[in-house]
């Protein structure tokens, strides 16, 4: 079987394949490395020619490597997450539509150690294409937007109209997000992931003339084209001040464990809500971001059971009760997920016992703080973790229905077309016509 490596082959990947090959004398996995210069283009050409690898990596992290799940630098969030210039996300939905990829749900459902009860369904359903599951990943984090529950309400989704209604009731001079976020920042960090919902790839149709897309354009109009250069320390001090004074509605947040729920509360100094960004019809406003390898199986694979035996390693349990804290991300394995929630609470209780009191824990405990901001003091939790934070974490996971998987070419089409409108050179009607025309041509080229 051929394993297509988009990223440089790590020791972990090498060992996993060596282990498989040692266990199988009849079927061997051979690595084809596409991480070299021109490798991605070479793989794309081979796919068009029908030369489809048996197992494929579907996310190329770029030369600088993954931006999430790296020690001390994984706390990224919408509004601050920056992809590498050469990062690439394989268009798996289009590949599935063309019949290149195998649906993995039947393998999960028939796996005696998994089944649907053995996995977190929400992240996998977010990755579905027409009800099929064509990619698989080991763990995720959640990208979302948070706000004061007393201001934005207890919700996991909303529309642009809802946001503007909340903004109207806030103090004069308030902003939806950070005051120094530009229009381009808002588009590429928050909105481009929703563009696919205005396209019907199977029918070759686009709906950028819908009210939902017009609402997103209206949302972008609330941001400045550019901001004057500011000292980053002073800029963050102003962000903190505006949050404290109730002049900022939302803040970007990356959520891995229930500690992030408590930190969200601490940012606002009251109970936080997780509405995410505005969507058409008020659907889910938060995203699952797959943090490590993403794999797919070829529909033409001759040894599908063997390929599944390798791919399923992404879902196998990795956590034990004796040592539950082995990952900073949310595992897809349901057993590991619940054990890690439990482990976080146990670790908090152990730390409180070590320092002698809850007060000392909140003041000095390393589990009770986090550097949400790049500058200034850390954000300190208002109370130790309890089962309430664990349940709020489960609720956030179960209410998240979107997968972070951008289509860079579509994003470029839309953003380039919006530029003349924001500059005052095109009318909105003309802009929408241009986007409709260019996007329709693009989607039909991809069919």
């Amino acid at each position: 079987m051929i394993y297509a490596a988009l990223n440089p082959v790590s020791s972990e990947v090498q060992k996993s394949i060596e282990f498989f090959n040692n266990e199988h004398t009849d079927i061997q996995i051979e690595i084809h490395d596409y991480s070299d210069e021109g490798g991605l283009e070479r793989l794309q050409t081979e796919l068009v020619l029908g030369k489809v690898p048996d197992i494929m990596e579907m996310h190329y992290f770029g030369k600088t490597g993954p931006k999430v799940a790296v020690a001390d630098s994984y706390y990224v969030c919408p509004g601050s997450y920056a992809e590498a210039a050469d990062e690439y996300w394989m268009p798996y939905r289009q590949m599935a539509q063309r019949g290149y990829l195998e649906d993995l749900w039947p393998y999960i459902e028939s796996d005696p150690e998994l089944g649907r009860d053995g996995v977190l369904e929400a992240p996998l359903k977010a990755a579905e294409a027409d009800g099929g599951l064509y990619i698989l990943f080991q763990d995720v984090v959640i990208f979302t937007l948070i706000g004061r529950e007393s201001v934005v309400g207890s919700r996991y989704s909303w529309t642009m109209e809802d946001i503007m209604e909340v903004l109207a009731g806030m103090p004069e001079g308030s902003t939806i997000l950070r005051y120094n976020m530009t229009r381009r920042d808002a588009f590429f960090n928050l909105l481009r992931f929703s563009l696919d919902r205005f396209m019907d790839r199977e029918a070759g149709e686009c709906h950028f003339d819908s009210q939902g897309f017009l609402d997103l354009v209206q949302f972008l109009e609330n941001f400045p084209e550019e901001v004057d250069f500011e000292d980053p320390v002073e800029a963050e001090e102003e962000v903190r001040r505006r949050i404290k004074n109730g002049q900022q509605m939302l803040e970007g947040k990356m959520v891995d464990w229930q500690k992030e729920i408590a930190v969200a509360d601490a940012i606002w100094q009251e109970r936080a809500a997780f509405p995410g960004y505005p969507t058409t019809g008020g659907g889910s406003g938060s995203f699952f971001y797959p943090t490590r390898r993403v794999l797919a199986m070829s529909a033409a694979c001759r040894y599908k059971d063997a390929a599944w035996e390798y791919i399923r390693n992404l879902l196998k349990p990795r956590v034990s009760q004796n040592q539950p804290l082995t990952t900073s991300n949310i595992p897809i394995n349901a057993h590991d997920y619940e054990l890690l929630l439990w482990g976080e609470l146990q670790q908090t209780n152990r730390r409180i016992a070590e320092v002698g009191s809850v007060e000392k824990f909140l003041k000095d405990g390393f589990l009770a703080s986090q550097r949400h901001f790049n500058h200034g003091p850390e954000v300190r939790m208002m109370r130790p973790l309890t089962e309430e934070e664990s349940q709020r974490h489960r609720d956030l996971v179960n209410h998240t229905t979107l997968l972070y998987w951008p289509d860079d070419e579509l994003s470029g089409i839309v953003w380039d077309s919006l530029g003349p409108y924001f500059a005052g050179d095109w009318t909105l009607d003309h802009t929408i016509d241009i986007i409709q025309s260019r996007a329709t041509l693009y989607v039909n080229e991809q069919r």
Side-chain angles (χ1 to χ4, degrees), residues 74-82 142-144 178 189-190 251-254 372:
Y74 65 85
Y75 46 88
V76 296
C77 58
S80 66
Y81 178 76
I142 296 174
F143 284 174
T144 189
R178 293 190 179 191
N189 283 286
L190 301 172
E251 175 71 353
K253 191 81 179 77
M254 190 208 78
H372 174 77

Side-chain angles (χ1 to χ4, degrees), residues 140 156 161 181 205 226 249 274 294 324 331 337 345 380 407 434 445:
V140 294
Y156 296 96
E161 184 178 17
M181 178 176 280
E205 298 175 352
E226 56 185 25
M249 183 195 305
F274 300 81
V294 181
Y337 173 71
L345 298 183
R380 295 200 169 273
D407 183 329
I434 294 296
E445 287 176 344

Side-chain angles (χ1 to χ4, degrees), residues 271-334:
R271 186 180 174 92
F274 300 81
Y277 84 97
T279 60
T280 307
S284 170
S286 302
F287 293 95
F288 291 112
Y289 178 99
T291 54
R292 288 186 263 198
R293 278 193 303 168
V294 181
L295 298 181
M297 184 197 303
S298 166
C301 177
R302 291 179 297 165
Y303 311 107
K304 292 179 180 178
D305 288 341
W308 170 247
E309 190 174 336
Y310 178 81
I311 294 173
R312 74 179 297 278
N313 286 321
L314 296 175
L315 301 183
K316 69 181 183 182
R318 287 176 166 77
V319 182
S320 70
Q321 192 165 357
N322 294 329
Q323 191 177 9
L325 299 176
T326 59
T327 178
S328 58
N329 304 320
I330 304 168
I332 302 302
N333 183 278

Side-chain angles (χ1 to χ4, degrees), residues 119-136:
V119 298
L120 293 188
E121 278 205 63
L124 299 184
K125 288 188 72 65
E128 286 182 343
D130 297 324
L133 178 65
Y134 299 96
I135 57 174
L136 204 59

Side-chain angles (χ1 to χ4, degrees), residues 8-22:
V9 180
S10 67
S11 59
E12 179 184 1
V13 172
Q14 187 71 49
K15 288 178 182 177
S16 69
I17 291 178
E18 287 177 358
F19 180 82
F20 179 94
N21 287 343
N22 289 334

